[in-house]
Amino acid sequence: MLNYIARILPEVRERFALPCELDAVRIRVWQGERIDFTHRTGCYPQLMWVGAAAVALQDAEVCRKTLRRIGVPDRLSVFDEDIALQMRVEELLTRASIGPPPEPRPALRGTRASRILIDGTNRCKQVTSARTSCKGGPERVDVSLVRWTAAHIKPVTLVLLSIAALLLLALNSVESDGSERFVVKTTSGPIVGETERGVLVFRGIPFAAPPVGQLRFRPPVSPTPWTEVRPALDFAPACPQLVDIDPTENNNSVMAEDCLALNVWTPRADAKQRPVMVWIHGGGFSAGSARNTWYDGATLAGRGDVVVVSLQYRLGAWGFLELSQIGGEHFLESGNVGLLDQIAALKWVKQNIAAFGGDSNNVTLFGQSAGSASAGILMLIPAAQGLFRKAIMESGAPKEVNDKARANDVSQAYLKIAGASSPDMILLNGKIFTSDSAHPYVQALAIRGERIFAVGNVKDVIALAGPQTKRVDLGGRVVIPGINDAHYHCDAEPNAFHLQFHGMDPKWSEVADQLAVAETKAPKEALIIGDIGPTALDDPQATGTSLDKLVPNHPVILRTWSRHAAVVNRPGLAKLGVKDDEPDPLGGRFLRSPDSAKLTGVAFEYAAFRLHQAVTSLASEGEALQQMRAFLSDAARLGITSVQDMSLPAGAERCVGLLEKAPTPIRVRVMRMAGTTSNARDTKEGRSLPRNPTPLITVSGTKWVLDGSPIESSAAMRKPYADNSKGSGWLNFNEKEMEAMLRESLENDDQLLAHVVGDRTTEAFLTAMEATGGKTVWEKRRVRIEHGDGVMPDLMSRANGLGVVVVENPTHLTIRELMVKRYGLERADEMQPLRSLLDAGIPVAFGSDGPNNPYLNIMLASIYPGKPKEALTREQAVIAYTLTSAYAEFAEKDKGSLERGKLADLAVLSQDIFTIPPQDLPKTESVLTLVGGKVVYDAHAVRMQ
């Protein structure tokens, strides 16, 4: 038996995805001297059902022979020391008037009673013949059969015992008590039942919503509450099944998918706290129902003074068809929803049975055939722990437990019979990089609907094709998961005169020359826009006063490429709606003249963001929509299938509106990034938007900018800047405000994203996380640090422990010269880490935050200019841009890698990005981009038939 147990436990663990909570499960057999066997599983106590399974009628003799082989005598007794009904099987038979009362049974003696029990926590220190003392933790479910000893039960009696409770349910010896009705309040709403044969009966009580539509093959959800009294007078329909599959079952011809209901029989709906018996019907998991007349619980409830509950659960394909390999994350529990229905019913009992006169802490589970097997299975599922105390198993044990591979084979066979197994498209003869470390490269994949149906070699995948399957011959091309740009900004540029410089970091003299040209060439009153770098910004002439002299007749705004600073002339301030008495917004500052307190035209952080929002608002709807469509089209051409869009400066509502109107062909996550007033952060922006305005648009997450950047010398550093000993940058928000952001994240169950660049900012933010719960609270919340330049070596372990995700922007790695100028060589070598983050166990995702060419970013990450020791491999860079970017938005179960069941978001590339010279990487494009299995870009470079 122990060998058998050891063999099946891995299957049990795999099939039911049990969490590894304990280091050992001990099987102790007491028979005179104690024999101690230990089977190490590293899992939850999965053997609780073994004793019950061993004495199932069909296995009794095999069990006895097996026990003899391991040295245990023939006298086996498996019992529970605290029986719900406090009666023996013989007493049940007596009350049912089946045969004469048996002779009195001698008391059990601890030295002779064989017993199998579970001790998974080392808490059970002493075992006697009558009771086990377990302390120090939550009580576990005991294996429970009604007491007997093998020495006093004859074979023929065993048969009678197995059906005794079943027969007792059907006895009708109590006369009807009329039709008086009673109302009971449940957690879903009030229900009315009736009296029948001396007990109260409530039929067809829904414990879950109808499992139809989007809920089909999915775990049960709570029913919609009601306020009016709901009749509970009729049984619910049976769950769908073949009517003639089991001729012994009756009353099952009335069927519907809306079948998740239970029935309650109780002597009185009072506060007596009677034992509760929950019946699970049999039928091979493919037939049966709680409406079967055999299962009428009136007599058992009346004579036993117990509360009887019978329940229904989904059967056959509706309850046990495994679809996770095809349907992905949304169908992870599809192979077990019938069992999850049973758990949902038990939860209902736990919450409501006291209102029916039952004791929610004294629940016995019992069932026959499939119901018996269910009882055994429920004893090992963690989600059922605490929902019942005892279990009676009648003629059935959980003997067959399929692993995922076997379950999937059954599903494939079922779908094939249903004519639904052929993929819609197969991609063959490729170099397919999956981002899955277990199988990084495959040759072919199949797509059905919006998800990946299969991955593997050409022979296996082509065998799945049907007559309607499209075939794409990749011809050796590289395929990668669709790029997920984890950091982009939703923007809209108005019609304006744009300054043209020779480079990204012009000197002030070049800026002045171009402004003089613009003054003469720009249309009257046209807005002039120029993008500058640190050299021009650092120049003392970079003020609004200088701009007024150079361009007196046009509004002008000069923006740093980081958008953390702006220089505006007076006509520009007027056009953007900013007056001299404009207060500094929280987290930002307008520089002012010391003599007049008037604005100088220079703005930083949230003051600069205020100006950028005003510029964006000048763009017409047509201009904004045209730019959005151009961006989305370009993204599809580059193989970008997902974008995570910060809503500043356009705003969340406008960004979503543009995406809906475009409409977007790729997946876009819009993350709220609001501004501030003079004394508060705007926490309302975007809150009225639905989470999923369309299937391809998601609204979630909130971002705040905690400091600036090295461009403006505004990143908050622990030591002064190397090129300015009097300056060390500044925090936009203090630690208390950071703590408030974190608490809001928890209250709204909304991911927090924080722009963090300086090492002082990084340290302050990590301290705020520790002050608001630390690892316990934040480890699974995936708080994001955007950029992460200042995650220094001494801060990495703290960031890792708090579960922080860092979103890097490889184009920022090109400012090595500026980093050395601002911070000095030693600090510059430690800042902007990349490989070091991965080595520290910190997830790293990629976003563009600039030019949206992902292959330019892959090149920069894989060479790291000036710091090659921090470079990643190209495979690591692709994973950061796909799987980890999906992880950064809690979507890794749905996308980010090319695995069976995941969304078919992928790009067929124009060249092999894993082997070409680095300088050629930015030339890469997609020749075929798929989003959810649909073609969103096709350069007609691969053959499709």
Side-chain angles (χ1 to χ4, degrees):
M1 173 177 272
L2 291 175
N3 289 335
Y4 169 75
I5 293 167
R7 179 173 60 82
I8 67 170
L9 274 176
E11 297 180 7
V12 173
R13 173 182 170 183
E14 173 66 14
R15 177 58 179 156
F16 295 100
L18 299 177
C20 296
E21 296 182 3
L22 304 176
D23 292 331
V25 174
R26 296 188 177 184
I27 306 169
R28 294 181 177 176
V29 181
W30 275 264
Q31 176 67 43
E33 296 182 3
R34 188 179 72 187
I35 305 172
D36 188 1
F37 299 90
T38 299
H39 173 70
R40 293 201 167 270
T41 65
C43 257
Y44 209 88
Q46 300 147 325
L47 302 180
M48 291 184 170
W49 53 270
V50 171
V55 296
L57 292 181
Q58 61 267 42
D59 295 334
E61 186 57 33
V62 174
C63 174
R64 279 191 280 272
K65 291 180 180 178
T66 304
L67 290 173
R68 289 191 203 108
R69 285 200 297 272
I70 63 172
V72 179
D74 193 40
R75 297 163 62 82
L76 173 68
S77 173
V78 181
F79 60 87
D80 173 63
E81 64 275 3
D82 183 18
I83 301 174
L85 296 180
Q86 296 298 316
M87 64 178 75
R88 296 180 174 84
V89 170
E90 294 92 331
E91 294 169 329
L92 286 174
L93 292 173
T94 300
R95 294 192 181 196
S97 300
I98 301 177
E103 293 295 323
R105 191 174 60 181
L108 296 173
R109 294 182 175 86
T111 58
R112 298 303 301 164
S114 302
R115 183 171 188 181
I116 298 177
L117 65 88
I118 305 307
D119 175 11
T121 61
N122 294 324
R123 293 176 178 139
C124 296
K125 304 301 182 183
Q126 181 179 2
V127 177
T128 68
S129 62
R131 189 161 299 277
T132 302
S133 176
C134 297
K135 298 180 180 179
E139 194 167 12
R140 302 294 184 186
V141 178
D142 292 330
V143 175
S144 170
L145 293 177
V146 181
R147 301 185 183 186
W148 76 78
T149 57
H152 296 89
I153 300 178
K154 299 179 180 180
V156 67
T157 310
L158 280 172
V159 177
L160 293 175
L161 296 183
S162 67
I163 63 173
L166 183 62
L167 290 175
L168 185 56
L169 288 173
L171 291 177
N172 297 313
S173 59
V174 178
E175 294 182 1
S176 173
D177 195 28
S179 59
E180 188 178 358
R181 297 184 175 182
F182 294 85
V183 174
V184 172
K185 293 181 180 179
T186 72
T187 52
S188 297
I191 59 173
V192 61
E194 62 184 350
T195 58
E196 186 176 280
R197 300 194 304 281
V199 298
L200 298 178
V201 187
F202 301 83
R203 301 182 183 90
I205 308 170
F207 62 82
V212 298
Q214 295 297 318
L215 296 179
R216 189 175 285 114
F217 306 116
R218 303 282 295 278
V221 299
S222 299
T224 302
W226 59 87
T227 55
E228 298 295 325
V229 176
R230 177 174 182 147
L233 307 175
D234 299 312
F235 290 116
C239 293
Q241 58 193 275
L242 291 176
V243 177
D244 61 349
I245 194 168
D246 186 349
T248 65
E249 301 291 339
N250 59 63
N251 204 27
N252 296 341
S253 59
V254 179
M255 292 183 290
E257 287 191 73
D258 184 6
C259 61
L260 298 184
L262 47 76
N263 314 300
V264 178
W265 291 265
T266 180
R268 280 185 177 277
D270 55 20
K272 185 176 180 180
Q273 290 194 318
R274 297 169 180 82
V276 180
M277 298 189 72
V278 178
W279 172 257
I280 305 179
H281 69 78
F285 295 104
S286 56
S289 76
R291 39 182 302 125
N292 192 317
T293 55
W294 286 14
Y295 306 148
D296 188 303
T299 300
L300 180 57
R303 291 193 169 188
D305 195 27
V306 298
V307 179
V308 178
V309 179
S310 63
L311 62 89
Q312 298 192 153
Y313 54 97
R314 280 171 281 183
L315 306 167
W318 284 270
F320 300 96
L321 187 65
E322 210 291 309
L323 296 172
S324 66
Q325 296 298 302
I326 298 169
E329 175 186 32
H330 296 295
F331 295 98
L332 284 179
E333 296 168 298
S334 56
N336 285 318
V337 294
L339 294 172
L340 297 180
D341 294 341
Q342 297 172 8
I343 292 173
L346 290 170
K347 288 180 179 178
W348 185 97
V349 170
K350 186 76 172 178
Q351 296 167 355
N352 293 283
I353 207 63
F356 296 84
D359 182 356
S360 63
N361 293 316
N362 190 5
V363 176
T364 297
L365 196 61
F366 70 132
Q368 173 265 342
S369 189
S372 175
S374 295
I377 295 170
L378 290 173
M379 281 189 277
L380 61 86
I381 297 180
Q385 298 299 303
L387 299 180
F388 60 102
R389 290 279 303 278
K390 293 163 282 289
I392 301 172
M393 300 176 63
E394 304 173 34
S395 187
K399 296 181 295 183
E400 181 179 353
V401 178
N402 292 328
D403 58 18
K404 289 182 180 178
R406 171 60 180 160
N408 184 61
D409 289 343
V410 172
S411 298
Q412 296 293 351
Y414 181 91
L415 292 173
K416 187 172 184 178
I417 293 171
S421 61
S422 297
D424 299 320
M425 179 188 294
I426 57 175
L427 282 68
L428 307 168
N429 305 314
K431 181 181 178 181
I432 302 174
F433 180 73
T434 66
S435 286
D436 175 15
S437 58
H439 307 283
Y441 288 97
V442 296
Q443 299 170 317
L445 64 78
I447 298 168
R448 184 173 183 276
E450 65 175 5
R451 295 186 178 270
I452 297 171
F453 187 72
V455 294
N457 60 53
V458 172
K459 180 181 177 182
D460 290 344
V461 170
I462 204 169
L464 300 172
Q468 303 300 317
T469 301
K470 293 181 180 178
R471 305 183 184 211
V472 179
D473 187 350
L474 297 171
R477 290 187 183 274
V478 165
V479 179
I480 61 171
I483 294 292
N484 185 338
D485 189 333
H487 188 121
Y488 197 77
H489 285 273
C490 187
D491 202 351
E493 196 88 318
N495 185 24
F497 188 95
H498 287 268
L499 302 179
Q500 303 297 318
F501 302 123
H502 292 100
M504 292 183 64
D505 189 21
K507 295 180 179 179
W508 181 256
S509 58
E510 184 182 355
V511 173
D513 290 344
Q514 290 299 313
L515 285 170
V517 172
E519 174 71 356
T520 61
K521 289 188 175 183
K524 186 179 180 180
E525 298 183 355
L527 177 65
I528 297 173
I529 299 176
D531 293 322
I532 62 175
T535 301
L537 184 68
D538 287 348
D539 195 293
Q541 299 180 77
T543 66
T545 302
S546 297
L547 296 181
D548 287 335
K549 294 177 181 178
L550 291 166
V551 191
N553 300 312
H554 291 84
V556 177
I557 180 169
L558 301 178
R559 312 171 298 195
T560 54
W561 356 293
S562 67
R563 299 294 193 268
H564 284 260
V567 184
V568 189
N569 66 356
R570 302 207 72 77
L573 290 173
K575 188 172 184 67
L576 300 178
V578 178
K579 300 178 180 180
D580 273 328
D581 60 353
E582 181 91 11
D584 287 346
L586 182 66
R589 61 181 68 177
F590 291 107
L591 298 190
R592 302 173 191 273
S593 173
D595 53 346
S596 63
K598 290 184 177 181
L599 303 185
T600 66
V602 180
F604 290 96
E605 299 306 312
Y606 277 86
F609 302 159
R610 155 87 168 79
L611 298 173
H612 301 324
Q613 288 174 311
V615 170
T616 300
S617 69
L618 298 175
S620 69
E621 191 71 3
E623 290 169 338
L625 190 58
Q626 182 181 14
Q627 292 168 41
M628 177 64 78
R629 285 173 175 161
F631 166 74
L632 295 170
S633 175
D634 198 49
R637 177 183 61 83
L638 291 169
I640 299 171
T641 58
S642 292
V643 173
Q644 300 179 50
D645 218 333
M646 319 287 178
S647 64
L648 189 77
E653 286 84 359
R654 191 177 194 191
C655 188
V656 169
L658 292 171
L659 289 166
E660 289 178 316
K661 290 178 181 177
T664 177
I666 66 175
R667 305 183 197 280
V668 181
R669 178 196 187 193
V670 177
M671 296 168 285
R672 292 170 286 264
M673 185 177 176
T676 63
T677 64
S678 60
N679 56 14
R681 291 175 290 110
D682 179 1
T683 58
K684 303 296 185 183
E685 197 231 25
R687 292 293 170 188
S688 62
L689 292 168
R691 180 177 175 82
N692 293 104
T694 75
L696 292 177
I697 303 173
T698 301
V699 180
S700 68
T702 300
K703 180 186 175 184
W704 298 106
V705 180
L706 304 189
D707 68 348
S709 87
I711 312 300
E712 301 82 8
S713 299
S714 54
M717 302 300 296
R718 292 184 285 194
K719 295 180 180 178
Y721 279 78
D723 60 346
N724 179 9
S725 61
K726 295 182 179 180
S728 59
W730 61 87
L731 295 173
N732 293 342
F733 305 99
N734 59 33
E735 284 186 25
K736 291 300 180 184
E737 195 68 27
M738 294 180 196
E739 291 176 16
M741 297 171 186
L742 289 158
R743 285 193 292 270
E744 290 162 7
S745 171
L746 294 174
E747 291 167 3
N748 297 322
D749 192 21
D750 190 45
Q751 187 183 27
L752 179 62
L753 304 86
H755 167 108
V756 177
V757 172
D759 58 359
R760 177 155 57 102
T761 319
T762 307
E763 186 172 42
F765 186 58
L766 296 178
T767 300
M769 292 182 70
E770 290 162 348
T772 52
K775 180 176 181 178
T776 303
V777 170
W778 297 111
E779 186 178 21
K780 306 297 183 183
R781 307 289 301 191
R782 303 185 193 178
V783 172
R784 284 172 48 162
I785 286 182
E786 306 295 312
H787 313 303
D789 294 10
V791 184
M792 305 293 265
D794 65 303
L795 301 174
M796 288 185 184
S797 63
R798 291 172 67 186
N800 178 42
L802 292 165
V804 165
V805 178
V806 174
V807 178
E808 286 272 14
N809 318 105
T811 52
H812 297 188
L813 305 180
T814 60
I815 60 170
R816 168 74 174 171
E817 185 177 341
L818 177 66
M819 297 292 285
V820 173
K821 177 184 177 182
R822 294 289 198 229
Y823 306 128
L825 181 61
E826 183 178 350
R827 270 194 297 179
D829 280 344
E830 291 185 333
M831 294 191 72
Q832 292 185 306
L834 194 52
R835 177 177 288 277
S836 296
L837 294 175
L838 291 182
D839 291 343
I842 299 172
V844 175
F846 281 172
S848 57
D849 195 32
N852 68 329
N853 185 337
Y855 312 103
L856 169 65
N857 281 298
I858 290 171
M859 179 195 75
L860 292 170
S862 61
I863 63 174
Y864 203 123
K867 265 201 299 191
K869 66 178 182 180
E870 284 292 316
L872 305 182
T873 68
R874 295 187 195 182
E875 285 82 358
Q876 287 174 321
V878 172
I879 289 172
Y881 238 138
T882 55
L883 185 57
T884 317
S885 284
Y887 177 85
E889 60 170 324
F890 292 90
E892 76 281 2
K893 293 181 179 178
D894 244 351
K895 60 184 181 181
S897 60
L898 301 179
E899 299 179 71
R900 187 172 191 163
K902 286 194 173 183
L903 290 167
D905 295 358
L906 58 85
V908 181
L909 302 183
S910 60
Q911 50 186 347
D912 187 343
I913 62 172
F914 300 108
T915 60
I916 60 174
Q919 64 271 20
D920 290 336
L921 279 166
K923 303 173 186 176
T924 307
E925 296 183 357
S926 173
V927 298
L928 181 68
T929 305
L930 304 183
V931 175
K934 295 181 179 179
V935 177
V936 298
Y937 177 77
D938 188 356
H940 303 289
V942 292
R943 188 160 53 96
M944 185 183 300
Q945 60 182 24

